[in-house]
Amino acid sequence: MKDTYLNLVNGPLKQVAKTLGLPQPVELQRFDSTPESYRRKPVLVLGAGPEAQKLADMLLENGLEVRRHSTSGESLRAIIAVLDDAKTPTDLSETVLGIGSALRSLAKCGRVITISMAPDAQNQDPELAAAAQGITGLTRSLAHEMRAGSTANGILLDGVDLQAPSVATALWFLLSGKSAYVSGQFVTVSSQEGTPVRMEQFLSTGTSGPLAGRSAVVTGAARGIGAAIARNLARDGAHVIGVDMPQAGQALAEVMNEIGGKTLQLDITAESAAQKIAEAVGGPVDVLIHNAGITRDKMLANMDAARWNSVITVNIAAQARVNAHLSEKGLFADGAQVVSLASTSGIAGNRGQTNYATSKAGVIGLTAASAKDFAHRGGTINAVAPGFIETDMTAKMPPLTRQVARRLSSLQQGGHPVDVAETIGFLASAGARGINGTTVRVCGQNMVGA
Ligand code: NAD
């Protein structure tokens, strides 16, 4: 759905919006729309430790322009702050104040990325834990302060160092237009798994893309976010098997014809769903995206059993059963990667959505609890929690509620289905195999709830 307000405040009403102090969301630079001039701008790497220099060298090897000190007047594409060596909160000041003094040089749709140790209160020295946890507060607050489509996110090192391959993959994702609508979030790298991927390959498409040669099943692929996921995974080189209800068969066929994919008309709640999926793939399932989902909103006081049960059955019980069946029957490929659709409602809760929020919080729980099982096969399972995304689902909202929902995020606009699809493509790629059991929000740092 079109965001008319965004177009107006970037066009004829620009001055009026400025004078009245109204929100002025900017058009985000997404993967396909990122201009070459932006790609060529330098990246500033801050941090006094040896890891910061190693990271700067790695970026140089990947063809990026790198600076170790900010030079006044030079526009920056990104600021990367390496804070993995902070032992106490007082150790943070030099690098953090360095970010502050470089912020005005950040280009439109620029990036700030912090890299630090994952907070682990159980196993860390108290001051070390304070520094680690402090960096999460810093990054989230900074994301609220960003302007002109810029974002701030963090990479957390959970028992790994900066050389873990998925750290580089996370950087390529966060630096690129693929993460345009991700802000105030953390990507946790928790193992050395993952194929090392150069930035060029991560940003390539087709037969040299990050999913080249892999098959990918996408449920609910006939429209909305599912159709965008199918298109993106195909763009990145995957052979896509699109699944949707028989009633959506025509729309599904159109999407699959467009991308050279295969259709599977199937209700994912059917007892035989996992078997049908494996048959359609024609071999072990490699990439599986659990996207199909429904809403049946009502206050709990007015909730009938049909509304409650249908949402739980489609959104969580069906995917739990499919995963369990594929796992038990050995139908997942070695290195299989699964990504499920959660929702910010499952994190923050939402009025009128007890059923939906239960199912989506359930997805987050299922994902975290299944990580070990997938790791045994060298694979991963992760979730993506979208906030307000412009789809048929959100087009049904009352106009005023829709306007408020759009503006109540740090990026002051709704996301596009492609934003969710890009994050899923990243988590499903071989370079991201060191990221497991996590949930990444794609919500423009939505301010409602969490
Ligand atoms: P949508 O309603 O536009 O599309 C969902 C698709 O899933 C449809 O094609 C539908 O036919 C299919 N589907 C539903 N039940 C099915 C079943 N039993 N078997 C097979 N297919 C089935 O929804 P969307 O907005 O594109 O959302 C996609 C996913 O993202 C959902 O899981 C949703 O909960 C989640 N999500 C969406 C938003 C948003 O703002 N749109 C926000 C957070 C999470």
Side-chain angles (χ1 to χ4, degrees):
M1 188 169 192
K2 241 186 160 168
D3 186 348
T4 313
Y5 177 88
L6 185 146
N7 295 331
L8 287 175
V9 296
N10 282 292
L13 297 186
K14 194 170 187 164
Q15 203 48 48
V16 179
K18 203 172 173 187
T19 311
L20 295 177
L22 296 173
Q24 284 189 281
V26 306
E27 191 78 49
L28 301 179
Q29 287 174 359
R30 296 187 160 83
F31 176 62
D32 290 329
S33 59
T34 304
E36 248 334 281
S37 58
Y38 170 76
R39 287 189 217 270
R40 281 196 300 269
K41 286 188 198 299
V43 171
L44 174 66
V45 177
L46 297 174
E51 294 298 299
Q53 188 52 47
K54 280 191 209 156
L55 183 89
D57 293 341
M58 191 273 282
L59 296 176
L60 276 169
E61 278 165 27
N62 276 272
L64 281 92
E65 279 275 319
V66 179
R67 302 281 180 272
R68 293 303 319 271
H69 302 281
S70 141
T71 324
S72 76
E74 189 176 41
S75 171
L76 297 169
R77 167 184 176 175
I79 303 167
I80 303 177
V82 182
L83 296 158
D84 67 315
D85 56 345
K87 304 271 184 295
T88 75
T90 46
D91 291 347
L92 300 173
S93 52
E94 191 183 333
T95 305
V96 173
L97 295 174
I99 303 175
S101 52
L103 271 180
R104 284 196 176 80
S105 306
L106 203 58
K108 184 181 164 200
C109 296
R111 301 282 191 267
V112 175
I113 302 168
T114 58
I115 305 182
S116 57
M117 292 198 355
D120 179 3
Q122 304 300 315
N123 302 308
Q124 279 166 343
D125 162 78
E127 282 211 271
L128 189 71
Q133 194 79 47
I135 295 163
T136 64
L138 158 79
T139 310
R140 287 196 181 99
S141 297
L142 189 51
H144 284 295
E145 292 179 13
M146 301 304 274
R147 294 279 174 274
S150 293
T151 63
N153 293 290
I155 297 175
L156 298 177
L157 309 173
D158 185 3
V160 298
D161 61 23
L162 257 97
Q163 276 67 53
S166 290
V167 172
T169 313
L171 266 177
W172 310 147
F173 171 68
L174 291 174
L175 281 171
S176 71
K178 291 187 176 189
S179 62
Y181 198 61
V182 178
S183 195
Q185 306 309 314
F186 298 91
V187 175
T188 304
V189 179
S190 56
S191 85
Q192 296 288 340
E193 296 297 320
T195 316
V197 176
R198 290 180 60 79
M199 187 175 73
E200 214 174 71
Q201 194 204 348
F202 185 73
L203 300 178
S204 292
T205 56
T207 48
S208 49
L211 294 172
R214 299 182 72 186
S215 63
V217 177
V218 182
T219 69
R223 66 177 203 186
I225 294 172
I229 298 168
R231 289 190 181 102
N232 262 40
L233 299 187
R235 178 202 70 187
D236 288 351
H239 173 65
V240 175
I241 296 102
V243 179
D244 213 303
M245 299 286 279
Q247 302 91 289
Q250 177 68 27
L252 180 66
E254 280 167 25
V255 178
M256 291 305 123
N257 284 343
E258 182 193 319
I259 62 173
K262 185 172 174 180
T263 62
L264 173 60
Q265 293 187 13
L266 171 75
D267 180 340
I268 56 155
T269 66
E271 196 80 45
S272 57
Q275 197 57 44
K276 293 260 163 60
I277 286 172
E279 281 165 19
V281 173
V285 176
D286 188 5
V287 172
L288 171 59
I289 315 298
H290 287 296
N291 162 79
I294 57 169
T295 49
R296 299 285 182 270
D297 296 359
K298 268 283 179 223
M299 301 292 214
L300 187 58
N302 302 322
M303 183 80 66
D304 54 62
R307 281 173 196 272
W308 177 270
N309 290 333
S310 57
V311 168
I312 301 293
T313 305
V314 175
N315 293 4
I316 177 69
Q319 59 173 278
R321 185 161 63 190
V322 167
N323 285 356
H325 185 108
L326 293 176
S327 186
E328 280 157 20
K329 304 271 176 205
L331 293 171
F332 272 125
D334 287 341
Q337 288 176 280
V338 172
V339 188
S340 293
L341 267 287
S343 164
T344 50
S345 295
I347 298 169
N350 202 15
R351 191 180 151 88
Q353 289 201 315
T354 49
N355 51 356
Y356 186 72
T358 303
S359 71
K360 294 301 187 178
V363 167
I364 295 170
L366 182 82
T367 300
S370 307
K372 252 194 202 156
D373 183 36
F374 280 85
H376 284 317
R377 281 188 294 269
T380 60
I381 179 167
N382 289 287
V384 167
F388 180 93
I389 306 295
E390 306 279 359
T391 63
D392 291 347
M393 205 185 240
T394 47
K396 286 186 206 135
M397 289 166 84
L400 191 63
T401 317
R402 191 166 59 233
Q403 278 304 331
V404 172
R406 277 177 177 147
R407 302 312 148 216
L408 278 179
S409 74
S410 292
L411 291 168
Q412 302 180 318
Q413 57 194 288
H416 293 185
V418 71
D419 298 323
V420 182
E422 297 286 17
T423 307
I424 287 172
F426 153 59
L427 291 171
S429 69
R433 284 205 178 103
I435 302 163
N436 196 10
T438 71
T439 297
V440 178
R441 285 170 53 158
V442 182
C443 67
Q445 200 180 31
N446 200 313
M447 292 167 203
V448 183

